[in-house]
Amino acid sequence: MRPHSVLWILLGLLLWPEPRTASLPLVMDSVIQALSELEQKVPGTEVKQSASAWLLSAQSSGPLHPLHHLLLKAPSLKVTELKPSPLSPELQDLVEEVARHDVQDGREYGVVLAPDGSTVAVKPLLVGLMAGLQVHKVLTSTLPSESQATTRDAGATSPGPTGASPDITPTDTRATSPKGKTKLLSARDSFLTVTLAADLGLTFLQSPQNKSLPGLGTDGCWDQLSAPQNFTLLDPKASVLTMAFLNGALDGALLGDYLSRVPEPQPPLSRLLSEYYGAGVAGDPEFRSNFRRQKGAALTSAPSLAQLVLGTLVLLQSVEPGPPQLQNISQEQLAQVAAHAAREFMEAFLGCPAIHPRCRWEAAPYRGRPTPLKLPLGFLYVHHTFVPAPPCTTFEHCAADMRSMQRFHQDTRGWEDIGYSFVVGSEGYVYEGRGWHWVGAHTRGYNSRGFGVAIVGDYSKTLPSDAALRTVSDVLPSCAVRAGLLRGDYQVLGHRQLVHTDCPGDALFRQLRTWPHFSEVSLLGHRLGAAPDVSSWQPLNASNLGPAFSHTSNIPCPVTSAWITPAQLTQPWPCFGPLPKGLPST
């Protein structure tokens, strides 16, 4: 059956005023299963125009704005005419549960766990798919001009379930600036109008200007990963612009754009979602949910998104009843809000890597009390894990590696937690270790001065994936600088520059030396690339520690295990790692 039909009936099944408790796990595979059942059971000719009832019921249970009524075609066929229900009771319950997005009391509803470990709000995803399927008829309208925005037009009210939609020109969507100028926006850009722009603009309208929105992109924790049912946000004061909502909005826009351009016959939606949340759409490993942020950054720009947000707010301001926060707001003010919202979204969300929180990889509790870092820090220390040696390329693999490293660090090394600040996989994600705020155990003697970032794998002879290299060399530190966690003049150092070790591997270290923030220094008593003069080195022991080592608690390793230069004796460094090659044992 046609994808239009499947999506319409899936959305139209949502007629109950209160969501039930889903018995199936809240995972993307369950949503795909529902789509697959519909594709098999419901003839396309019967349900081609059956989304209107869902649109009305979904809008009444979530944030109230008439945007989807205005911009998406409202079919006339009622889903109540389809009996018996084409879905099993379990799938029916799940569909009701996930298609209404809401944030209440620190809990987020209408979200599912995807195979890549990300959490996705289903409602903006489905809206984006709807827009993609309707692109030749109803994508977005030409947004109102300044003169239209100053006077409410009674004819601009929501058309209701059977009302006509404005004519659409898919590649000629215009948003109006405060001075009446228009900017041509592409159809690809315009998909964000129906998935993101309204919520983005309305949320930032209530936040202080020129400040980051608290809770933008807030993630959370599932009660369990094997059969998730409840999702609790890490920040109970998070706005509706959670990580899951932004993921769903991006996925909806990206897949809507794909559906609008793919030639007939369009792929079944169950197959499209299986590919996107799996190995990649149409065999393209870059076109999958793991890389949604990179794809999203290519979809739009801050100026273009600002125009979309502005045009959407003007449109909502022109209808009755409109959102109350838009009353008595000038278009100049709306333009400032739109620019601020677009900039924050592009820089603070799309410009940052996707980081899985500790609960996502099922971290064991910290043992003891963590020591806070004094931010911002001035260094980024790069490691490879060496063991595990193979790169991790799936969420399941990477999460298992994280648990394995944590067990080794805690149980064998006797450390309080996994040592690294962050760990980077080869599948597009960063994994939180000790994070931005706590001293790690990654670079002995320097843990409090920099963040330790490791890439899973052994990179003695080969390089990490391009995605992993880009994350560590640019995306992660740039995001940290913007957030005030890392100094703008930060330096990148390989682990071997601070501790006697081969880490981060010869191949990766050679690559490291080409990075703009790399520092060609060694704090081991000699310059990089030159053999040290060991004639004046002394064994580190209790008799030559000097005044800097007045507290033996500052020495976490045996005092006979390292050698130092005379100049280093007066510096407060607790230890210098294992004995360098070529030096006599003590």
Side-chain angles (χ1 to χ4, degrees):
M1 64 183 296
R2 293 177 63 83
H4 301 71
S5 309
V6 176
L7 188 57
W8 296 164
I9 184 61
L10 176 64
L11 300 178
L13 286 166
L14 310 175
L15 298 173
W16 286 263
E18 294 294 334
R20 302 175 184 176
T21 300
S23 56
L24 290 175
L26 295 179
V27 294
M28 185 60 70
D29 286 345
S30 297
V31 176
I32 294 171
Q33 181 184 349
L35 285 168
S36 180
E37 282 200 13
L38 291 171
E39 288 165 346
Q40 296 175 29
K41 294 180 180 180
V42 180
T45 55
E46 289 186 21
V47 294
K48 204 169 183 178
Q49 303 290 327
S50 61
S52 60
W54 174 83
L55 286 170
L56 292 176
S57 63
Q59 293 301 321
S60 67
S61 63
L64 296 175
H65 64 73
L67 183 68
H68 299 155
H69 294 295
L70 291 170
L71 301 184
L72 295 175
K73 185 176 180 181
S76 57
L77 179 62
K78 295 183 178 180
V79 181
T80 50
E81 300 171 2
L82 297 172
K83 295 181 179 180
S85 170
L87 290 180
S88 66
E90 294 81 7
L91 284 175
Q92 177 67 57
D93 285 347
L94 178 125
V95 170
E96 295 169 39
E97 181 82 6
V98 301
R100 295 176 173 88
H101 181 256
D102 198 8
V103 174
Q104 291 183 3
D105 300 323
R107 292 274 300 275
E108 188 169 13
Y109 302 89
V111 298
V112 295
L113 178 65
D116 66 350
S118 64
T119 302
V120 180
V122 176
K123 181 177 177 180
L125 167 65
L126 297 180
V127 169
L129 293 174
M130 289 175 62
L133 293 170
Q134 292 185 10
V135 69
H136 297 298
K137 294 181 180 179
V138 186
L139 173 61
T140 61
S141 63
T142 299
L143 298 175
S145 66
E146 183 176 6
S147 60
Q148 290 173 312
T150 56
T151 304
R152 292 184 181 271
D153 183 359
T157 57
S158 172
T162 59
S165 300
D167 293 333
I168 303 301
T169 305
T171 59
D172 189 20
T173 303
R174 290 179 170 83
T176 306
S177 68
K179 296 184 179 180
K181 298 179 180 179
T182 61
K183 180 175 181 178
L184 190 65
L185 300 174
S186 69
R188 301 186 66 189
D189 205 43
S190 299
F191 280 99
L192 291 168
T193 302
V194 294
T195 66
L196 175 67
D199 293 277
L200 188 64
L202 291 174
T203 303
F204 271 86
L205 190 63
Q206 303 173 64
S207 68
Q209 288 292 304
N210 302 318
K211 292 185 179 180
S212 295
L213 181 72
L216 176 65
T218 296
D219 212 329
C221 296
W222 288 97
D223 53 349
Q224 54 181 324
L225 297 184
S226 58
Q229 291 290 340
N230 300 299
F231 190 69
T232 303
L233 294 166
L234 293 171
D235 180 1
K237 298 181 180 180
S239 73
V240 71
L241 299 178
T242 62
M243 181 79 72
F245 176 83
L246 296 178
N247 286 342
L250 276 179
D251 293 349
L254 292 168
L255 293 175
D257 168 55
Y258 176 81
L259 286 171
S260 72
R261 295 181 293 107
V262 69
E264 295 286 351
Q266 291 171 314
L269 293 181
S270 60
R271 189 181 79 193
L272 177 64
L273 294 186
S274 294
E275 291 177 349
Y276 180 75
Y277 294 105
V281 174
D284 181 2
E286 298 297 315
F287 189 14
R288 53 181 172 140
S289 55
N290 303 59
F291 302 107
R292 61 168 64 89
R293 295 196 191 199
Q294 294 89 324
K295 287 289 185 181
L299 190 69
T300 189
S301 64
S304 294
L305 181 59
Q307 290 289 329
L308 284 180
V309 174
L310 171 60
T312 302
L313 294 178
V314 170
L315 176 61
L316 291 174
Q317 196 178 47
S318 69
V319 302
E320 290 283 4
Q325 59 265 50
L326 288 175
Q327 294 179 3
N328 303 317
I329 303 294
S330 71
Q331 198 168 354
E332 289 284 355
Q333 291 174 303
L334 292 182
Q336 293 175 4
V337 169
H340 179 211
R343 182 175 62 254
E344 285 294 312
F345 174 75
M346 295 297 297
E347 296 179 5
F349 184 74
L350 292 187
C352 290
I355 301 177
H356 283 321
R358 290 170 59 88
C359 60
R360 199 64 48 81
W361 56 270
E362 300 180 291
Y366 193 96
R367 296 177 182 176
R369 297 183 63 181
T371 303
L373 288 166
K374 296 180 180 180
L375 303 171
L377 302 185
F379 295 91
L380 187 72
Y381 309 136
V382 179
H383 304 247
H384 69 169
T385 61
F386 189 71
V387 177
C392 66
T393 56
T394 67
F395 167 68
E396 184 178 27
H397 184 183
C398 293
D401 284 348
M402 291 295 292
R403 294 191 295 272
S404 174
M405 286 186 287
Q406 187 188 40
R407 284 194 299 270
F408 175 73
H409 289 177
Q410 288 185 320
D411 299 339
T412 303
R413 296 286 193 189
W415 298 345
E416 296 171 319
D417 195 7
I418 188 171
Y420 307 117
S421 305
F422 296 96
V423 177
V424 180
S426 293
E427 90 298 20
Y429 285 98
V430 177
Y431 292 76
E432 180 186 20
R434 300 216 188 178
W436 296 118
H437 299 285
W438 308 113
V439 174
H442 43 75
T443 312
R444 180 176 289 170
Y446 306 93
N447 292 313
S448 64
R449 300 176 62 188
F451 297 108
V453 179
I455 304 177
V456 176
D458 174 6
Y459 299 107
S460 302
K461 298 180 180 180
T462 61
L463 285 174
S465 67
D466 289 343
L469 287 173
R470 186 168 54 250
T471 295
V472 180
S473 66
D474 179 29
V475 183
L476 182 68
S478 296
C479 182
V481 169
R482 186 182 188 277
L485 303 165
L486 192 63
R487 294 208 314 254
D489 61 349
Y490 73 92
Q491 298 178 52
V492 172
L493 297 173
H495 188 197
R496 62 173 61 181
Q497 293 172 261
L498 303 172
V499 176
H500 290 289
T501 176
D502 291 332
C503 180
D506 290 344
L508 178 54
F509 188 67
R510 284 193 296 269
Q511 184 73 18
L512 211 65
R513 297 177 75 173
T514 67
W515 295 1
H517 282 265
F518 178 77
S519 179
E520 282 277 8
V521 298
S522 173
L523 301 184
L524 290 174
H526 61 280
R527 294 282 299 177
L528 288 175
D533 178 8
V534 301
S535 60
S536 64
W537 286 35
Q538 304 175 35
L540 177 63
N541 55 51
S543 64
N544 64 9
L545 290 178
F549 290 97
S550 58
H551 300 289
T552 56
S553 61
N554 289 336
I555 310 174
C557 56
V559 296
T560 59
S561 67
W563 287 66
I564 58 176
T565 67
Q568 292 170 340
L569 289 175
T570 60
Q571 300 183 33
W573 296 346
C575 181
F576 294 91
L579 190 69
K581 294 179 180 179
L583 293 180
S585 60
T586 56

